[in-house]
């Protein structure tokens, strides 16, 4: 009578299977309110299980209020438990399509994980596990692991010639969390956030999703155009001055100085996202804006591109006026980063393994960059204008006269190529339609060369603007 399937090979106990089946029957209405359950002896005999198994399942149902039991009377289903158990289906809008035919994935921001020194990193994890105390595995505060803050301060001096007090460094779960907290911290009623145009969609999404206004700064060969900021009430200005994303320009010193003076005059902060300037291939490293002003600049850094994205360790260098509110906000967000990875990262920096890894990867990425530029010259000649190739892990390619729309991008996917037009990063989606964005750090030289050859076939099908 009671058709209850039990899988004896399942890793789920028989008593829990029985409990779950009866619970589902009650919630779906198959077992009505007041319906009597069989005795534990009868049901055990029918199902071929021990009576203790049935008793345990009934006890779970009784404890959670699904059934009512009285001494000497049969158990029965409690009142008011039937629910509409409609099956939820994933909408097409929420589903993530799987693209299995992509052979040349020119996505940006992806380091070469095949070249990462995993053996040394695992050594750091073991060191961290052995050296941390039990107290350090409890809640340790919103600032982050102090030895890591100290090592980041020393590393910024070595790598950026940037003098930073370790007390001003706060560890984050990558730059995305840092930007989210910055928006919460800096927002002011009636004040806009100024962003570069084009810019990374992550920061604009954080701001727009929370309903705050945006002001766009056009990007030139001199970086963000800041002349138009003077007439606006601003919460903050977000810039990528050392390697503008996605076009790669560098903001010169006079424009930086003007931006700092404007920040002091108009009482706003500058958010400086220094996302990949470790890898510069020509000339000296570019100094951050923060080296010119500590009181008005929030410096944001990450290890996602120097090490690996899943690490989720970044940092901010905060002006002292913002630190109390930061600690409050972080407390009610997620408190802190995992301690084991922070300690391993501190060891990786302290032993200079980080410095060695970056030197090696700078050489690796430089070779890939040269191979990409050579392939572009060989395949496209002077019909393409590379931009922003002096540093980083991506390059912008302008094809004057071409329009790269959605049809072109779909054709590329059919060919096996994934990339983005820079228009996807512009405020109106219409500018820079003749420019493509290619990330290359994670690809082999052979993949780069073959991918550029394949791209040529698709370029022939792109729309040409004859006007």
């Amino acid at each position: 009578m009671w058709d209850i399937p039990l899988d004896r090979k399942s890793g789920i106990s028989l008593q829990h299977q029985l409990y779950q089946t009866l619970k589902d029957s009650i919630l779906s209405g198959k077992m009505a309110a007041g319906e009597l359950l069989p005795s534990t002896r009868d049901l055990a005999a029918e199902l071929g299980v021990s009576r203790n198994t049935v008793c345990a399942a009934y006890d779970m149902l009784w404890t959670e209020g699904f059934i009512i039991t009285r001494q000497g009377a049969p158990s029965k289903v409690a009142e008011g438990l039937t629910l509409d158990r409609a099956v939820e289906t994933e909408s097409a809008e929420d589903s993530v399509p799987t693209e299995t035919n992509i052979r040349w994935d020119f996505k940006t921001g992806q380091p070469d994980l095949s070249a990462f020194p995993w053996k040394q990193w695992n050594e750091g994890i073991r060191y961290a596990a052995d050296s941390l105390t039990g107290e350090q595995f409890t809640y340790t505060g919103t600032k982050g692991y102090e030895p890591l803050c100290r090592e980041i301060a020393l590393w910024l001096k070595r790598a950026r010639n940037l003098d930073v007090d370790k007390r001003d460094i706060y560890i984050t779960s990558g730059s995305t969390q840092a930007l989210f907290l910055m928006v919460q911290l800096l927002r002011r009623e009636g004040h806009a956030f100024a962003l570069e145009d084009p810019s990374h969609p992550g920061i604009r999404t954080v701001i727009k999703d929370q309903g705050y206004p945006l002001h766009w700064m056009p990007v030139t060969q001199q970086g963000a155009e800041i002349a138009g900021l003077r007439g606006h009430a601003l919460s903050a200005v977000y810039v990528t001055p050392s390697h503008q994303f996605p076009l790669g320009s560098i903001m010169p010193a006079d424009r930086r100085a003007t931006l700092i003076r404007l920040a002091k005059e108009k009482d706003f902060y500058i958010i400086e996202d220094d996302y990949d300037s470790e890898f510069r291939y020509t000339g000296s490293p570019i100094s951050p804006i923060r080296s010119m002003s500590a009181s008005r600049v929030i410096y944001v850094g990450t290890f996602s591109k120097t090490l690996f994205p899943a690490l989720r360790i970044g940092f901010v260098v905060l002006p002292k006026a913002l630190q109390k509110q930061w600690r409050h906000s972080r407390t009610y967000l997620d408190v802190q980063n995992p301690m084991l990875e922070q300690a391993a990262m501190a060891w990786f920096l302290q032993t200079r393994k980080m410095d060695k890894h970056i030197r090696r990867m700078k050489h690796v990425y430089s070779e890939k960059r040269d191979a990409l530029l050579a392939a572009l010259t060989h395949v496209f000649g002077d019909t393409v204008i590379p931009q922003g190739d002096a540093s980083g892990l991506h390059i912008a390619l302008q094809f004057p006269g071409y329009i790269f729309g959605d049809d072109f991008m779909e054709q590329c996917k059919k060919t096996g190529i994934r990339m983005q037009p820079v228009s996807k990063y512009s405020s109106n989606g219409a500018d820079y339609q003749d420019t493509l964005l290619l990330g290359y750090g994670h690809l082999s030289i052979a993949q780069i060369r073959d991918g550029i050859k394949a791209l040529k076939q698709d370029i022939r099908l792109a729309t040409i603007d004859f006007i």
Side-chain angles (χ1 to χ4, degrees):
M1 183 179 79
W2 292 85
D3 185 18
I4 300 177
L6 296 176
D7 183 0
R8 286 169 169 76
K9 295 182 179 180
S10 170
I12 301 173
S13 67
L14 295 177
Q15 67 188 49
H16 196 86
Q17 291 183 54
L18 177 57
Y19 152 81
Q20 190 64 53
T21 300
L22 293 172
K23 174 182 173 181
D24 289 344
S25 296
I26 293 170
L27 292 174
S28 66
K30 291 181 180 179
M31 296 178 63
E35 183 174 344
L36 299 180
L37 277 69
S39 68
T40 55
R41 181 177 287 104
D42 290 345
L43 187 56
E46 182 173 334
L47 298 178
V49 298
S50 71
R51 187 181 178 189
N52 287 339
T53 296
V54 179
C55 288
Y58 277 22
D59 187 60
M60 293 167 68
L61 292 167
W62 172 77
T63 300
E64 295 181 18
F66 286 98
I67 63 174
I68 300 170
T69 61
R70 292 197 308 272
Q71 186 68 30
S75 299
K76 63 180 180 180
V77 177
E79 298 283 344
L81 295 175
T82 301
L83 299 176
D84 180 8
R85 303 294 297 275
V87 177
E88 295 184 6
T89 58
E90 185 179 48
S91 68
E93 182 179 342
D94 295 332
S95 63
V96 179
T98 301
E99 296 173 347
T100 58
N101 65 324
I102 298 299
R103 298 177 59 191
W104 303 286
D105 194 346
F106 288 101
K107 60 185 175 182
T108 61
Q110 179 67 44
D112 187 349
L113 301 185
S114 69
F116 185 75
W118 295 108
K119 184 176 180 181
Q120 293 179 347
W121 178 255
N122 290 337
E123 183 182 350
I125 291 291
R126 288 193 296 271
Y127 172 83
D130 291 340
S131 61
L132 290 171
T133 65
E135 184 178 351
Q136 289 173 312
F137 282 104
T138 62
Y139 292 110
T140 56
T142 59
K143 189 176 185 302
Y145 185 51
E146 285 297 340
L148 176 55
C149 296
R150 180 185 67 243
E151 292 301 331
I152 289 175
L154 295 171
W155 178 65
L156 288 174
K157 179 64 177 176
R158 297 194 304 271
R160 302 283 199 286
N161 197 28
L162 184 61
D163 288 311
V164 171
D165 188 332
K166 66 178 182 180
R167 292 172 295 184
D168 296 333
I169 295 177
Y170 286 72
I171 307 301
T172 68
S173 295
S175 60
T176 302
Q177 185 192 58
L179 296 173
F180 178 86
L181 284 170
M182 284 297 100
V183 171
Q184 295 293 314
L185 225 62
L186 302 176
R187 70 190 191 279
R188 287 187 288 174
E189 186 68 30
H191 290 59
F193 286 86
L195 303 183
E196 298 164 328
D197 188 14
S199 61
H200 196 286
I203 178 63
R204 82 175 71 164
T205 301
V206 167
I207 296 169
K208 289 178 68 176
D209 282 357
Q210 298 180 66
Y212 305 131
L214 292 173
H215 174 76
W216 295 104
M217 301 177 292
V219 172
T220 69
Q221 291 300 317
Q222 304 296 305
E225 181 61 66
I226 61 175
L229 297 179
R230 188 170 297 279
H232 296 270
L234 300 171
S235 293
V237 173
Y238 169 88
V239 289
T240 52
S242 298
H243 186 222
Q244 198 279 329
F245 185 89
L247 296 178
S249 55
I250 298 170
M251 184 182 289
D254 61 340
R255 189 169 290 190
R256 296 179 183 215
T258 300
L259 180 58
I260 291 169
R261 286 194 294 268
L262 193 58
K264 293 178 179 179
E265 175 189 333
K266 304 285 287 184
D267 189 27
F268 64 77
Y269 283 94
I270 301 163
I271 302 174
E272 178 179 15
D273 190 351
D274 196 7
Y275 64 97
D276 71 354
S277 59
E278 292 89 352
F279 304 117
R280 181 163 177 78
Y281 312 118
T282 59
S284 303
I286 305 300
S287 296
I289 291 181
R290 188 171 187 296
S291 64
M292 301 171 65
S293 174
S295 64
R296 281 287 144 187
V297 180
I298 304 162
Y299 181 86
V300 180
T302 178
F303 297 110
S304 294
K305 295 170 185 63
T306 49
L307 299 183
F308 53 95
L311 179 60
R312 306 317 303 144
I313 291 182
F315 62 93
V316 293
V317 184
L318 282 175
K320 296 190 186 308
L322 298 175
Q323 293 178 12
K324 181 178 180 181
Q325 184 59 37
W326 173 282
R327 290 192 295 268
H328 173 82
S329 297
R330 185 76 195 266
T331 297
Y332 296 101
L333 180 63
D334 66 344
V335 183
Q336 65 187 57
N337 287 59
M339 183 57 69
L340 191 66
E341 287 82 355
Q342 289 188 79
M345 186 72 237
W347 176 88
F348 206 66
L349 287 164
Q350 189 270 328
T351 58
R352 300 296 192 270
K353 288 178 171 55
M354 175 73 160
D355 302 59
K356 182 179 179 180
H357 173 61
I358 290 177
R359 286 195 299 270
R360 176 171 178 258
M361 295 312 299
K362 184 177 177 180
H363 177 71
V364 169
Y365 294 141
S366 179
E367 288 187 336
K368 294 182 179 184
R369 164 192 174 263
D370 292 345
L372 174 59
L373 292 174
L376 290 168
T377 300
H378 176 71
V379 173
F380 295 107
D382 59 2
T383 62
V384 61
I385 303 173
Q387 300 177 26
D389 58 282
S391 61
L393 304 179
H394 72 267
I395 186 171
L397 303 176
Q398 184 184 16
F399 291 83
Y402 283 79
I403 298 175
F404 301 118
D406 292 339
D407 291 343
F408 171 78
M409 302 314 300
E410 286 302 316
Q411 176 58 42
C412 285
K413 289 180 181 179
K414 292 177 182 178
T415 304
I417 302 172
R418 176 158 48 198
M419 72 188 87
Q420 288 290 346
V422 175
S423 59
K424 296 293 185 183
Y425 300 88
S426 69
S427 61
N428 58 20
D431 296 330
Y432 305 99
Q433 291 191 60
D434 63 351
T435 306
L436 298 173
L437 193 63
L438 274 68
Y440 60 85
H442 58 295
L443 299 174
S444 68
I445 289 177
Q447 287 175 315
I448 290 171
R449 289 170 176 164
D450 291 343
I452 296 302
K453 291 177 183 177
L455 178 61
K456 183 177 182 179
Q457 306 304 316
D458 291 332
I459 292 289
R460 292 174 179 173
L461 302 176
T463 303
I464 301 177
D465 185 0
F466 293 102
I467 299 176

